[in-house]
Amino acid sequence: KLDTIDTLQYLHESIVHQYPNGTYHKISSINGYLTAIPANFFSRTSVEKIILGDQITYIVDEALKNCGNLKYIYLSDNVYKLGNRCFEKCKSLSRIHIPKNSLFGDDIFLDCESLKEFGTYNKGCVSDDNMCYIIPDTNTLMFFAQGGLSNENGSYKIPDNITKINRSAFRGSKIKNITLNKSVKTIG
């Protein structure tokens, strides 16, 4: 059962890799068979960096909610779904690698105030400044990395290729002023 996994015991036994830029927990599967990261699995742990292996395909609702020390997470291209609020209140999260064809829940990055950039290997999924995650087929701005705002007035100009803005793209953001491009046709 998902609710019987001992997170701290798992973390103690997880594969840990030392890289020049820090220590990463690499997760290939959980207990040898689970392919989803369960709800609250990393909540309130000291984990800072995570690499999800190819066998992990789903991050359920609130899986990493309140993981306040998490700074970076790499999602393999096999992750097909990110659940509602799965990274909510990951206050230290500054960078995330997102696969191209994932399905997204609501408010995934709510209160991720340090998030500065999105990474991906898929051309067209990230804006030139790496602050917007975009669905290229529809030119929809899905998520905004609010921690990347460098100006004091909290202003941002929507990239020229965006035609639609997701209803929760800026939810929880401290942004004060948005300049729309002429191509934006739909908000919400």
Side-chain angles (χ1 to χ4, degrees):
K1 291 172 81 175
L2 294 179
D3 57 354
T4 62
I5 294 173
D6 182 344
T7 304
L8 295 176
Q9 177 66 26
Y10 173 77
L11 290 178
H12 179 70
E13 296 172 356
S14 68
I15 300 170
V16 177
H17 296 277
Q18 294 289 340
Y19 293 102
N21 58 347
T23 302
Y24 288 78
H25 288 272
K26 182 172 183 178
I27 303 165
S28 296
S29 67
I30 300 171
N31 287 351
Y33 63 93
L34 294 178
T35 60
I37 301 294
N40 299 307
F41 190 67
F42 285 103
S43 292
R44 295 177 173 80
T45 65
S46 60
V47 173
E48 293 182 7
K49 298 172 184 173
I50 299 172
I51 299 171
L52 295 183
D54 290 341
Q55 292 179 334
I56 303 296
T57 59
Y58 177 37
I59 301 175
V60 303
D61 296 356
E62 301 182 0
L64 290 108
K65 182 178 178 179
N66 292 315
C67 192
N69 293 318
L70 182 65
K71 295 177 182 176
Y72 172 79
I73 185 165
Y74 174 88
L75 307 177
S76 86
D77 286 335
N78 290 340
V79 174
Y80 72 90
K81 186 173 182 185
L82 301 173
N84 298 324
R85 300 168 308 284
C86 62
F87 298 108
E88 182 181 355
K89 296 183 182 175
C90 289
K91 302 236 181 233
S92 299
L93 183 64
S94 62
R95 187 169 196 284
I96 182 168
H97 173 92
I98 301 178
K100 180 179 181 182
N101 296 317
S102 290
L103 301 173
F104 302 107
D106 290 327
D107 299 326
I108 292 173
F109 300 107
L110 188 64
D111 294 328
C112 291
E113 57 198 36
S114 298
L115 187 59
K116 292 183 179 157
E117 65 179 314
F118 299 103
T120 182
Y121 293 123
N122 303 295
K123 187 174 176 139
C125 288
V126 177
S127 60
D128 289 342
D129 60 7
N130 293 331
M131 290 178 59
C132 297
Y133 186 82
I134 302 163
I135 304 296
D137 300 342
T138 60
N139 291 324
T140 301
L141 190 158
M142 289 298 293
F143 313 115
F144 176 73
Q146 66 174 340
L149 286 176
S150 59
N151 54 41
E152 291 180 16
N153 62 2
S155 297
Y156 188 74
K157 181 183 180 301
I158 301 296
D160 291 336
N161 64 323
I162 301 299
T163 59
K164 182 178 180 182
I165 299 174
N166 181 35
R167 67 184 170 93
S168 62
F170 294 97
R171 188 174 293 150
S173 168
K174 293 180 175 75
I175 198 161
K176 296 176 184 173
N177 190 11
I178 299 172
T179 303
L180 299 176
N181 65 48
K182 294 177 183 177
S183 303
V184 174
K185 305 289 184 231
T186 308
I187 300 175

